[in-house]
Amino acid sequence: MGTHVLDDWGGLSLDELLRDCRDLVEDPDYPTVRRWREAGGKVVGHFEVYFPEEIVAAAGLLPVKIHGAPIEARQGDAHFGSNLCSIVKTSLELALSGRLELEMFVSHPICDTARNLAAVWGRNVPYPCEILYLPQNATSRHAATYLRGEYQRLQRGVEEIAGRTVNDDDLRRAIAVYNENRRLLRRLYEIKRETPWLLQVDEAYVLVALGGRIPREEHNLLLSAVIPMLEQRGTAPQDRMRIVFEGGFCEQPPLDLLTTIAQSSYVVDDDLLIGLRWLSEDVATDGDPLANLATAYLDHSSYSPVQHDDRKPKEEMLLRRIRESGAGAAIISAAKMCEPGLDEQVPYVRALEAEGIPYFVNEFEENMTSFDSLQIQLETFIENVLFAGAEV
Amino acid sequence: MDNDTSPKVAPQATLDSSELVGRGNREGNRLFKEWYGRVSSGPERGEKAAYVFVMGSAAELFESFGFNLVLPEINGLQTAVRHVAEDYIDQAEGYGFATDVCGYVKADVGMQLRGGDHPMGRIPPPDLALQTNVCNTYIKWGEIWERLYHVPVVTLDIPGSRAAGRLPGRGHVDYENDLAYVRGQVDELVEVCEQVSGRRFDQDRLVEAMSHANSMTRDWVRVLELNKSRPAVYNAVTDGTVYLGAVNALRGRVEGADYFRDVVEELEYKASHGLGTPFEERHRLAFVGVPCYPIYRKFSEMFTQHGGIFVGSSYTWFASGGWSTGYEYDLAHPLDSLAEGLLVTGRAAMDTMFHVDRVLAEMAEPYGIDGIVFHAIKSCRTVSSGLADSRRAVLEQADVNALLIDSDHMDPRVVAEAGMRNRVDAFFEGLETRRLLAGARS
């Protein structure tokens, strides 16, 4: 389906493009998805963290990443307890309020709340809702075969929604589109690491996030145009601390929080929306495409607190992220009430202390609106590190 | 037409009531203390400790290798019942764990930091641990032991139901894919058990343990069924928790099989003689969630003082590891059947948490349930995240009253007893009013 869902952006300046991307990402009414539906398209929504969008795209459907929204969960609140993260409530709110219309919803066993989310969602909407059981025993010799079968099961469900079958060539074409997208996203993060003054964390965020709500072919066109403009941006480097932000693998911090951080530091790497960047290498386009996707998920992928993999101890992966990005400090964040994120703060902090790397610990919520206190704390932290070498 | 759904019980004339009634609780407590003693003194005998969780414990396999089972959730709840949980939780929070992390996890971390010191004994550190994904927090918990002790921590990934009521069975491509995955992981677990224990896998010992487990399972299903009796023959929250301790701690052992044979004998006797719990039964209730252990006795009294007896409890379904399904091992194919048992029971345990509304709606009539108490706890997102929505769904399906209360199963700092009592009182006023109205109509 060759539908374009973005307004014509030809001729816009970089700043205008970034502004428009930000507006789209912050719009809880998902105008790009609405446009897709108005053209007769169908939509599969998937919750954090990783989802093999290629399988949905191969069927001609639009995969949409659902990661909460800066909205009041008027209906969503009533379906959940009080001691839960915000993202499950606002994500459900998107569906119950009619802002986001879907033909199918998929969640993952990333945490105990997310598994409940699929059940709650399913009790309250008429379309299929299910869990995609991504393997939690990533080092089992049987994980890849199992995951291939699980992807095949997903494919059958997607085919029912699409009203057509998906063959290997459809999958290979989708994988090629996503490989190109992965290449462009890797380039975006290279710019952040190598010349962070050219691309602020909030700007990179909106460029990545937009991919979760438009066809990837269109995202590729956009990134292909934006990246050269970034490379030629005339911003001069400033004397700012290079920092890694960790804690954005599921619920996302408000964009204004990222903007606040950007005012005092260069975020040279992060785990924001890591699911959209989960596969770290291109996926093979020859052979069995579902097996290739399964292998890529297990063996050529990033890390997060909600995937258990003995080969990727999280604190070691964080230290590697810091080293490879040349960062001098880390923000160790977690969404409020996010148990996996809060669990992981303990080994992160211990590893950073052992390595003598300064860190700043905080919690956020997607709906928070006041950042003055954070700004003061962060500036104090940075001053301490720069002038006293102290930890906060 | 016979509408009596009470379990059929053969009259037993020769048994002595004073010996029988209450035996399950007395023996359960004795065996439980004995088990803790065995675990505590295990290192003195050179025995190794396997840390496992109540859902997906694979207890029969560990029994066949001679490991002592350590059940960290039970360790945790024991600190709460004995009013010392806060000390352990404080210690873990001092170590860095946030207030919003599971209380069981923090009690265990506190215990590990003080060298295994526990009100029931001295818990040895793990030589091996098994974590299933039936609760995601299990996996994060296991990662803590990996970091503390650098011992093998094996993940057993059990795919659950993909959607409510979607339960493919044998022969279905999706079921067979899941089963092959679990079967492969069982082989990998056996390899680790061999390495850690220094013993070769002994199929005969596994079959023996599975045979005891089969006996326990048959009796466990019978125990659950017997509470259709009027009056209920036990309180599913208080007595049920004693039985659950034995289900988990003694699984695969001969004393576990003997114990449940005796429990069934006791409860059948009570059913045939019309004997109930020590309290007047005015309202038959179902309980959903985990009990409030920091005020365990008072929590129970909030209901019994109004004549509210819990005839069923979702805790007895999921915290038995899903053995309420009645799955029995095929002893001719022990490892194949162990894998299938883990898949079927693990999936069932998850279903009784995520899709509990379906089970409750089905049990309301045969168990004669008047009301359902949903107890959401701050610590446990697995059990509690969907309770508000489940309550709403059940009310659409079954003609019952329902109460949703919040507290915690570990941390006394978040248990607001007075507020909870007010809500429970109001719930019973509603039940009484409903009874009066029903009486007036009839």
Side-chain angles (χ1 to χ4, degrees), chain B residues 84-99:
Chain B
V84 293
E86 196 172 348
D87 296 343
Y88 289 82
I89 290 170
D90 276 348
Q91 193 162 358
E93 290 180 357
Y95 188 75
F97 285 93
T99 53

Side-chain angles (χ1 to χ4, degrees), chain B residues 54-258:
Chain B
V54 298
M55 297 186 286
S57 72
E60 302 83 354
L61 186 65
F62 290 110
E63 178 66 27
S64 77
F65 277 100
F67 286 98
N68 282 321
L69 284 192
V70 173
L71 291 152
E73 296 146 295
I74 294 179
N75 293 342
L77 76 86
Q78 286 296 325
T79 65
V81 169
R82 290 162 203 287
H83 307 292
V84 293
E86 196 172 348
D87 296 343
Y88 289 82
I89 290 170
D90 276 348
Q91 193 162 358
E93 290 180 357
Y95 188 75
F97 285 93
T99 53
D100 292 319
V101 167
C102 169
Y104 275 167
V105 173
K106 286 188 289 192
D108 179 66
V109 169
M111 190 195 75
Q112 303 299 344
L113 293 176
R114 54 179 80 179
D117 184 31
H118 185 271
M120 298 293 284
R122 181 165 291 280
I123 309 301
D127 294 289
L128 163 69
L130 175 68
Q131 54 192 18
T132 65
N133 64 317
V134 177
C135 163
N136 278 69
T137 299
Y138 288 172
I139 296 175
K140 303 305 291 179
W141 200 340
E143 289 176 351
I144 295 170
W145 299 325
E146 275 182 331
R147 288 168 177 132
L148 283 176
Y149 298 111
H150 307 287
V151 295
V153 178
V154 180
T155 305
L156 182 66
D157 190 10
I158 302 172
S161 298
R162 276 33 174 219
R166 196 190 298 177
L167 294 166
R170 282 179 190 165
H172 191 286
V173 62
D174 296 334
Y175 181 86
E176 296 301 331
N177 189 49
D178 291 353
L179 182 57
Y181 180 39
V182 178
R183 179 69 180 86
Q185 292 177 89
V186 165
D187 281 341
E188 292 167 342
L189 175 60
V190 169
E191 291 167 20
V192 178
C193 286
E194 287 183 329
Q195 288 162 14
V196 174
S197 69
R199 296 184 189 183
R200 294 295 304 274
F201 168 62
D202 184 334
Q203 181 164 301
D204 292 340
R205 290 192 65 170
L206 176 62
V207 168
E208 184 187 345
M210 293 172 102
S211 173
H212 295 316
N214 278 351
S215 171
M216 289 174 74
T217 296
R218 281 192 293 274
D219 287 333
W220 181 238
V221 171
R222 180 69 176 146
V223 166
L224 300 180
E225 181 197 42
L226 277 164
N227 239 13
K228 291 177 185 170
S229 301
R230 287 171 182 263
V233 289
Y234 65 95
N235 186 317
V237 170
T238 49
D239 305 315
T241 298
V242 175
Y243 304 153
L244 270 176
V247 164
N248 289 298
L250 305 178
R251 184 160 186 83
R253 295 178 68 92
V254 65
E255 57 264 46
D258 291 344

